[in-house]
Amino acid sequence: MSDAENSAAVEAAPRRAALKGVGAQSQPAPRFLDTRTEFDPEVLGTWTPDKAVAVTYEAARSIITRNRSPDIPFDRSINPYRGCEHGCVYCFARPAHAYVDLSPGIDFERKLFAKRGASALLRKALGARGYQPATIAIGTNTDPYQPLEKREGIMRELLQVFLEFQHPVSIVTKGALILRDLDLLAELASTGLVKVMVSVTTLDSELKARLEPRTAAPQRRLATLRALAAAGVPTGAMIAPVIPFINDHELEALVERCAEAGAGELNMILLRLPHEVAPLFEEWLQTHYPDRADRVLNAIRSARGGALYRANWGERMRGSGPVAELLGQRFRAARRRVGLAESLLPRLRTDRFRVPESAAADVRADPDPRQGELF
């Protein structure tokens, strides 16, 4: 569906009160399904999503995802969870739910997948013959410290493996739950093996509740930054996403507050709206900010070559054109004022990597792990 068709569909939809506790305001069909479900407008006004979270335990066969993207600083990552309870309406990971025939809308926030056994898979991968260490990024897709992690503890188990192998790991999160693992993070930091980026979107609690309803409050995220930095964990802040006429007026204040909280690095990402995220975001605008929806969307198109999104390498994180350039200039100037024009965080080490004897014994017992995958 084109941007124009998406906009027309959103405009035609009946206005209704915002759904509470979720970011997405509807349940669009997965794009790969041949059938579509449409709600009767008379019923839509009274429809509310199921508040229960359903968890499926995914029997993954591997845990490290590789990429060759030239505009991101890592070539491997881990996603302990599929879907995210945080409910950020803008999340660029939403379209991935379509691959399991679930909606990128409310399903993404309520029907989650957890990769139990992830630590065993990681241990096997790091212990494999010929493995060459490089930083593994976690939190680049869905948040590893979303509420489900409190029950499952998958992330804590992964950190224990990184510590055992002395392997570097970088983490992005907006969840204060990361402080539960401060003991492991501090130990990894003591040998140069971890870096944490806390995502901070706004200082406005009301906007936070609408935009990313089940995330930590702004003050809790700043407190998380302070606690990590105080424990000696190399910590930065990701100001993301920046949305014209929604939170861009906070840009300088966000930079200042994150720097005051101890961030040693600051990055910014412009709003990204791939696939189903674009109509979901348009619907969110019409629900919460109908008076400025057109202005916001026009600014986004201006920064994306006339479309709501372009995935060009080098542009997808920052956009192009006058709007994107002005935001970039403001951000760089703000960073300079707080002394963070360049990152102060150390590079993570790979020279300490080692395969524990117990893991090496596992490899010797299974000389060709691929053989087991044939049966």
Side-chain angles (χ1 to χ4, degrees), residues 16 19 23-28 44 47 103-107 279-280 283:
R16 53 185 167 82
L19 299 175
Q25 295 297 299
S26 65
Q27 188 78 320
L44 186 62
W47 177 78
S103 174
I106 295 169
D107 275 354
L280 285 169
E283 184 178 44

Side-chain angles (χ1 to χ4, degrees), residues 330-351:
R330 288 174 53 196
F331 179 65
R332 290 189 292 273
R335 283 197 312 188
R336 286 194 298 271
R337 285 196 294 273
V338 298
L340 289 174
E342 303 292 336
S343 174
L344 302 182
L345 303 187
R347 294 190 64 177
L348 300 186
R349 297 176 61 176
T350 58
D351 60 310

Side-chain angles (χ1 to χ4, degrees), residues 10-208:
V10 170
E11 285 294 337
R15 289 287 175 83
R16 53 185 167 82
L19 299 175
K20 302 297 184 182
V22 290
Q25 295 297 299
S26 65
Q27 188 78 320
R31 64 187 181 278
F32 301 117
L33 284 184
D34 294 330
T35 59
R36 295 288 185 271
T37 300
E38 294 186 5
F39 293 98
D40 186 319
E42 294 182 2
V43 177
L44 186 62
T46 60
W47 177 78
T48 56
D50 186 352
K51 293 184 178 181
V53 173
V55 181
T56 298
Y57 295 105
E58 188 174 330
R61 297 176 69 178
S62 61
I63 196 63
I64 299 176
T65 300
R66 305 274 180 161
N67 80 83
R68 297 181 180 177
S69 303
D71 59 349
I72 55 178
F74 57 86
D75 68 354
R76 61 199 75 178
S77 60
I78 290 175
N79 294 300
Y81 302 100
R82 188 198 302 267
C84 188
E85 214 172 335
H86 278 157
C88 305
V89 68
Y90 54 76
C91 183
F92 62 82
R94 284 181 178 273
H97 247 45
Y99 292 113
V100 288
D101 290 338
L102 291 174
S103 174
I106 295 169
D107 275 354
F108 179 79
E109 309 173 32
R110 291 290 187 258
K111 296 183 179 179
L112 311 180
F113 295 79
K115 298 178 182 177
R116 279 186 174 173
S119 60
L121 290 171
L122 178 61
R123 210 166 177 275
K124 183 177 181 180
L126 300 186
R129 287 190 180 90
Y131 176 82
Q132 295 298 314
T135 298
I136 293 178
I138 305 182
T140 58
N141 198 33
T142 57
D143 200 314
Y145 285 104
Q146 59 180 283
L148 182 58
E149 167 64 16
K150 186 174 183 179
R151 185 181 82 191
E152 296 297 328
I154 296 173
M155 188 62 191
R156 184 168 179 86
E157 293 176 358
L158 291 173
L159 291 177
Q160 289 168 336
V161 175
F162 286 121
L163 191 58
E164 181 185 10
F165 282 76
Q166 291 289 283
H167 191 288
V169 56
S170 66
I171 302 165
V172 178
T173 185
K174 46 175 68 81
L177 180 59
I178 192 172
L179 296 182
R180 176 202 65 188
D181 297 336
L182 196 56
D183 57 334
L184 298 177
L185 294 168
E187 193 169 352
L188 284 163
S190 69
T191 49
L193 295 173
V194 71
K195 163 184 169 179
V196 175
M197 298 294 287
V198 177
S199 177
V200 186
T201 314
T202 179
L203 300 172
D204 183 341
S205 295
E206 185 176 337
L207 174 58
K208 195 274 328 174

Side-chain angles (χ1 to χ4, degrees), residues 278-330:
L280 285 169
F281 182 73
E282 288 186 73
E283 184 178 44
W284 180 88
L285 278 174
Q286 293 292 348
T287 300
H288 294 286
Y289 299 99
D291 58 325
R292 69 181 90 166
D294 288 342
R295 193 179 186 193
V296 173
L297 295 172
N298 287 336
I300 293 170
R301 291 188 180 97
S302 172
R304 297 294 186 187
L308 285 178
Y309 187 59
R310 292 198 309 178
N312 299 5
W313 300 129
E315 285 186 21
R316 55 185 181 153
M317 306 296 183
R318 63 175 185 268
S320 61
V323 170
E325 289 172 8
L326 178 59
L327 288 171
Q329 289 169 6
R330 288 174 53 196

Side-chain angles (χ1 to χ4, degrees), residues 246-307:
I246 295 295
N247 70 340
D248 69 301
H249 64 284
E250 299 185 75
L251 189 54
E252 288 79 6
L254 283 164
V255 167
E256 291 173 8
R257 295 291 298 278
C258 290
E260 290 171 359
E265 179 179 316
L266 292 167
N267 293 316
M268 179 193 89
I269 297 178
L270 186 66
L271 177 70
R272 298 170 59 188
L273 297 174
H275 301 297
E276 294 94 339
V277 185
L280 285 169
F281 182 73
E282 288 186 73
E283 184 178 44
W284 180 88
L285 278 174
Q286 293 292 348
T287 300
H288 294 286
Y289 299 99
D291 58 325
R292 69 181 90 166
D294 288 342
R295 193 179 186 193
V296 173
L297 295 172
N298 287 336
I300 293 170
R301 291 188 180 97
S302 172
R304 297 294 186 187

